[in-house]
Amino acid sequence: MSEEKHFKYVVLGGGVAGGYAAREFAKQGLNPGELAIISKEAVAPYERPALSKGYLFPQGAARLPGFHVCVGSGGERLLPEWYSEKGIELILNTEIVKADLTSKTLTSATGTAFTYDILIIATGSSVIKLSDFGVQGADFNYILYLREIDDADKLVAAIEAKKVERPWLLEVDTLVLNLVQP
């Protein structure tokens, strides 16, 4: 039989919106165990803009816990311990594969059921991949995407590997990151 956990509030998504929602719940007063954040990522919510900026610096690169949620607004850095201290359950490495809104139940890939009274969907956006458009060769291992920390780690590794071979030009702006080999 699969495990079932109940929470008064569930935030689905461990990104910026999920972290800021948790901060607001804590400000308003929250009983321990009432709120859970469910995220497929392995880390507590963080400020995603850092991935396309300071994370890619060759020296003095930004790394967690340096950019956990709320540091971007000048607030307290919400480390994993902060969530524990506030009685908020961080459920990480957990992908939700089914949502039954009638029974107020979320089901994880491992079969765990999470029931709730109120659901906040804070999943953010997802990467649009070249394969979404039927582009041939879209699955080549040198095509990288940037959405999560794991993606940024792969990009940093690719940049480091290319320093040994041929230099690459890295173009970064708010929405686009391109590696262009001269």
Side-chain angles (χ1 to χ4, degrees):
M1 178 141 196
S2 65
E3 183 182 358
E4 184 176 306
K5 295 182 178 183
H6 179 79
F7 298 95
K8 185 173 183 178
Y9 309 102
V10 168
V11 175
L12 180 57
V16 174
Y20 278 88
R23 181 179 76 168
E24 191 57 34
F25 270 103
K27 278 184 186 178
Q28 298 298 321
L30 184 69
N31 294 319
E34 284 187 330
L35 174 63
I37 296 177
I38 303 174
S39 175
K40 71 176 183 167
E41 288 195 74
V43 297
Y46 58 91
E47 302 278 350
R48 288 191 193 279
L51 294 181
S52 64
K53 294 168 184 52
Y55 204 90
L56 301 178
F57 288 167
Q59 286 89 27
R63 292 293 182 265
L64 289 175
F67 56 96
H68 274 296
V69 163
C70 296
V71 71
S73 66
E76 175 185 10
R77 190 174 288 138
L78 306 188
L79 302 173
E81 299 80 26
W82 180 90
Y83 295 92
S84 295
E85 290 167 6
K86 302 297 182 191
I88 299 168
E89 188 164 343
L90 277 179
I91 303 169
L92 305 174
N93 291 311
T94 303
E95 183 178 9
I96 298 300
V97 295
K98 181 180 177 190
D100 184 333
L101 302 179
T102 304
S103 69
K104 296 185 174 185
T105 303
L106 303 173
T107 305
S108 74
T110 62
T112 303
F114 300 95
T115 59
Y116 57 85
D117 296 331
I118 296 174
L119 174 64
I120 299 168
I121 300 174
T123 53
S125 63
S126 60
V127 171
I128 297 174
K129 296 185 176 186
L130 294 174
S131 57
D132 296 342
F133 301 101
V135 174
Q136 285 188 320
D139 56 348
F140 291 148
N141 64 0
Y142 58 80
I143 297 174
L144 302 172
Y145 298 93
L146 183 57
R147 173 72 186 139
E148 298 174 352
I149 286 214
D150 289 344
D151 300 330
D153 287 338
K154 289 175 189 170
L155 183 56
V156 168
I159 291 168
E160 289 299 317
K162 287 299 162 193
K163 282 182 184 176
V164 176
E165 296 174 20
R166 286 174 51 193
W168 290 62
L169 170 64
L170 179 65
E171 299 174 352
V172 181
D173 71 25
T174 318
L175 299 174
V176 179
L177 183 116
N178 300 308
L179 277 176
V180 181
Q181 193 168 24

